[in-house]
């Protein structure tokens, strides 16, 4: 028997009352028939007209944009960015909300995820319920902090213009200027150049040095352009065959600065995007762990060695730190960055594969900064068995954090303290640092 064809609801409009914020940069509403809508460009309590952007009559929920605001929230402002709004750039989620309201919305999302996935109230997590702005980011309503030190531009295949992708789309929104881009990125002038033949152009402006870099991803068979930007810049390209990153011109790395130390970050590798993020997170992790001379520590998903270096400084010559990282170039950089520490070792591979092979059965301190998906059940179980007196969990996704905190609780660790930082203003994202300790110590 042939299935009935799906009836798309894209383009349908509903007048709705907007409910609470949800994880993902949208709010929840319901159609008059009771169907769930995830609506962008709105705020809790508003009355709006929502236009469906994804979904059909068989969908569990529909995605939608607020195309008309009938009753506005007191937290609403006119979006400062001309490219923000329905059908346009998907980079920012909350341009239409006052800065303080954005942080409250993020706090509500984190609160809900902790309760639903970890069974924790803010009080039980040692969290005061606030999301703290980074130093210098407290701006008046209608203004935007310029914080993003790494911007990946998509290139319109027809015009060669650089832009940003529309929400949940491969379509490119050409732009003249990204308001959240850091000054060091904006001054390169990427948006004013012709990038025909390129798929993406990533612009990087290091914190603590004048290093600038662009990483080009060509379309198949395309030749690299002659890169002439408004500031001196190194150029790298992504190989279309193996995905490797290769130097074209200048240094293959940028120099970042944090915690009084310079870190080499090569081939467009991972580094915190907000210029204050690395120092903010190191401070929170060290205040939570309180490393002592002679202690042993693990730094998991260690990148170029940011937390390993901070811990090594504090545990001294009698202490020891093992870092584990899967990216080959990041491991090379970490070994270079931490070469002055005789008792720091960096291993390459996935944490779940390398950690069991080390033979380590006990450790004093653990810091983990996993990718957005989190650490997962098997890794949490292994870590809990090592008996660390303190664990610092750095997370950019509230849902993955809450899920893993629940796993830690099952394995005998409680959350001693949690802090949340608004290191991605105008977007849905929030960075958290949770400090855990054996549950019996908290009784």
């Amino acid at each position: 028997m042939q299935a009935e064809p799906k009836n798309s609801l894209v383009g349908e409009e509903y007048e709705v009352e907007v409910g609470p914020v949800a994880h993902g940069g949208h709010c929840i509403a319901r159609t008059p028939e009771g169907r769930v809508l995830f609506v962008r460009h709105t705020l809790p309590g508003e009355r709006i007209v929502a236009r469906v952007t994804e979904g059909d009559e068989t969908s569990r929920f529909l995605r939608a944009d607020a195309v008309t605001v009938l009753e506005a929230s007191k937290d609403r402002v006119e979006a400062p960015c001309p490219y923000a709004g329905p059908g346009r750039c998907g980079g920012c989620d909350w341009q239409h909300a006052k800065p303080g309201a954005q942080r409250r919305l993020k706090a509500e999302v984190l609160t809900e995820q902790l309760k639903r996935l970890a069974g924790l109230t803010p009080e039980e997590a040692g969290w005061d319920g606030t999301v703290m702005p980074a130093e210098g980011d407290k701006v008046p309503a209608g203004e935007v902090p310029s914080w993003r030190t790494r911007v990946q531009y998509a290139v319109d295949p027809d015009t060669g213009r650089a832009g940003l992708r529309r929400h949940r789309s491969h379509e490119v929104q050409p732009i003249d200027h990204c308001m959240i881009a850091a000054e060091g990125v904006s001054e390169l002038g990427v948006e004013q150049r012709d990038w025909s033949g390129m798929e993406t152009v990533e612009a990087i402006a290091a914190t603590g040095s004048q290093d600038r870099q662009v990483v080009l991803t060509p379309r198949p068979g395309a030749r690299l352009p002659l890169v002439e930007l408004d500031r001196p810049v190194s150029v790298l390209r992504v190989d279309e065959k193996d995905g490797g990153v290769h130097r074209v011109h200048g240094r293959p790395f940028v120099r970042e600065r944090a915690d009084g130390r310079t870190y080499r970050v090569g081939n467009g590798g991972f580094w915190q995007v907000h210029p204050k993020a690395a120092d903010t997170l190191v401070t929170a992790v060290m205040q939570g762990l309180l490393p002592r001379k002679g202690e042993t520590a693990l730094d998991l998903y260690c990148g170029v060695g940011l937390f390993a270096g901070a811990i090594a400084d504090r545990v001294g010559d009698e202490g020891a730190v093992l870092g584990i990282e899967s990216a080959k170039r990041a491991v090379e950089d970490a070994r270079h960055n931490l070469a002055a520490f005789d008792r720091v070792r960096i291993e390459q591979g996935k944490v779940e594969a390398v950690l069991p092979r080390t033979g380590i059965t006990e450790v004093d301190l653990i810091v983990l900064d996993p990718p957005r998906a989190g650490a997962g059940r098997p890794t949490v179980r292994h870590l809990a068995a090592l008996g660390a007196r303190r664990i610092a969990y750095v997370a950019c996704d509230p849902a993955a954090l809450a899920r893993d905190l629940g796993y830690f609780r099952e394995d005998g660790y409680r959350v001693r303290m949690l802090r949340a930082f608004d290191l991605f203003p105008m977007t849905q994202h929030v960075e958290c640092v949770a400090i855990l300790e054996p549950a019996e110590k908290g009784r």
Side-chain angles (χ1 to χ4, degrees):
M1 187 172 173
Q2 192 170 1
E4 289 290 321
K6 295 179 181 179
N7 293 319
S8 174
L9 293 175
V10 173
E12 289 290 318
E13 294 186 356
Y14 301 95
E15 184 176 320
V16 296
E17 186 92 25
V18 180
V21 65
H23 182 37
H26 45 246
C27 297
I28 299 173
R30 288 185 180 271
T31 68
E33 300 78 34
R35 193 186 297 267
V36 172
L37 289 172
F38 288 152
V39 191
R40 284 172 58 82
H41 311 294
T42 191
L43 294 169
E46 292 188 323
R47 189 152 196 87
I48 62 158
V49 175
R51 180 182 296 153
V52 177
T53 55
E54 288 183 46
D56 55 54
E57 290 183 347
T58 68
S59 302
R60 289 192 302 112
F61 59 84
L62 305 174
R63 296 185 184 274
D65 283 336
V67 292
T68 305
V69 179
L70 303 173
E71 296 176 17
S73 165
K74 62 180 176 56
D75 290 324
R76 177 175 284 274
V77 295
E78 188 73 28
C81 177
Y83 307 109
R88 284 172 276 181
C89 174
C92 291
D93 307 287
W94 300 118
Q95 286 265 352
H96 59 285
K98 294 177 181 177
Q102 294 181 33
R103 292 189 284 272
R104 290 196 299 275
L105 291 170
K106 296 181 187 192
E108 288 174 21
V109 168
L110 180 54
T111 298
E112 191 270 338
Q113 297 293 310
L114 287 172
K115 185 64 178 174
R116 185 168 66 86
L117 297 175
L120 293 171
T121 65
E123 293 76 18
E124 289 168 334
W127 177 43
D128 65 5
T130 64
V131 175
M132 296 297 297
E135 180 186 341
D137 275 0
K138 271 200 165 184
V139 296
E143 293 187 18
V144 176
S146 301
W147 59 271
R148 195 172 186 94
T149 61
R150 293 168 177 236
V151 177
Q152 187 173 76
Y153 297 91
V155 178
D156 187 310
D158 298 323
T159 66
R161 285 192 62 192
L164 298 168
R165 298 200 188 277
R166 296 184 174 115
H167 182 61
R168 293 176 62 83
S169 171
H170 292 294
E171 293 181 8
V172 179
Q173 170 68 61
I175 63 172
D176 295 317
H177 172 63
C178 176
M179 295 186 75
I180 65 171
E183 181 182 356
V185 169
S186 295
E187 67 185 13
L188 292 176
V190 170
E191 300 98 334
Q192 280 70 54
R193 298 301 193 276
D194 182 350
W195 299 102
S196 296
M198 299 301 101
E199 181 81 36
T200 62
V201 178
E202 183 178 15
I204 299 170
T207 301
S209 77
Q210 292 299 309
D211 293 350
R212 305 287 183 269
Q213 189 176 82
V214 293
V215 183
L216 305 178
T217 304
R219 297 182 186 279
R223 297 184 62 176
L224 290 182
L226 181 64
V227 178
E228 293 182 340
L229 294 173
D230 295 344
R231 294 289 188 277
V233 65
S234 298
V235 181
L236 287 73
R237 67 173 175 86
V238 178
D239 190 278
E240 65 178 87
K241 293 180 180 177
D242 62 11
V245 181
H246 305 283
R247 183 181 74 89
V248 176
H249 168 76
R251 290 194 187 100
F253 59 85
V254 295
R255 293 163 297 178
E256 301 280 3
R257 188 82 181 162
D259 193 41
R261 181 174 298 279
T262 297
Y263 289 85
R264 187 182 79 181
V265 184
N267 291 3
F270 175 78
W271 184 262
Q272 292 289 340
V273 177
H274 194 293
K276 301 290 186 183
D279 276 326
T280 297
L281 295 174
V282 165
T283 297
V285 168
M286 294 304 109
Q287 287 177 346
L289 292 181
L290 295 174
R292 302 165 185 162
K293 296 294 184 185
E295 287 192 312
T296 58
L298 293 175
D299 180 8
L300 308 179
Y301 318 92
C302 71
V304 300
L306 173 65
F307 296 116
I311 294 172
D313 264 336
R314 291 157 174 83
V315 299
D317 294 339
E318 299 303 313
V321 182
L322 170 66
I324 300 176
E325 166 59 42
S326 61
K328 181 180 179 182
R329 178 57 200 250
V331 168
E332 293 172 2
D333 286 336
R335 289 170 177 164
H336 172 273
N337 295 332
L338 305 177
F341 297 107
D342 292 336
R343 292 176 60 79
V344 172
R345 190 168 97 249
I346 307 295
E347 296 288 345
Q348 185 194 347
K350 293 185 179 297
V351 167
E352 59 269 25
V354 173
L355 190 56
R357 294 203 304 263
T358 64
I360 293 173
T361 57
E362 59 182 355
V363 70
D364 297 306
L365 303 171
I366 299 170
V367 57
L368 63 157
D369 185 4
R372 190 167 298 280
R377 188 74 184 85
T379 297
V380 168
R381 176 167 291 167
H382 191 138
L383 298 182
L386 298 178
R389 68 171 181 84
R390 291 275 175 93
I391 298 173
Y393 190 131
V394 183
C396 61
D397 185 86
L401 171 66
R403 183 203 64 204
D404 285 348
L405 292 183
Y407 295 153
F408 271 113
R409 186 165 68 169
E410 291 172 10
D411 288 326
Y413 275 78
R414 74 173 194 114
V415 186
R416 175 186 176 90
M417 177 179 68
L418 188 147
R419 299 179 69 187
F421 302 98
D422 190 16
L423 300 179
F424 307 90
M426 302 291 150
T427 78
Q428 60 162 309
H429 303 293
V430 60
E431 195 85 14
C432 298
V433 175
I435 304 299
L436 299 101
E437 64 182 9
E440 62 269 17
K441 291 186 178 180
R443 290 177 183 167

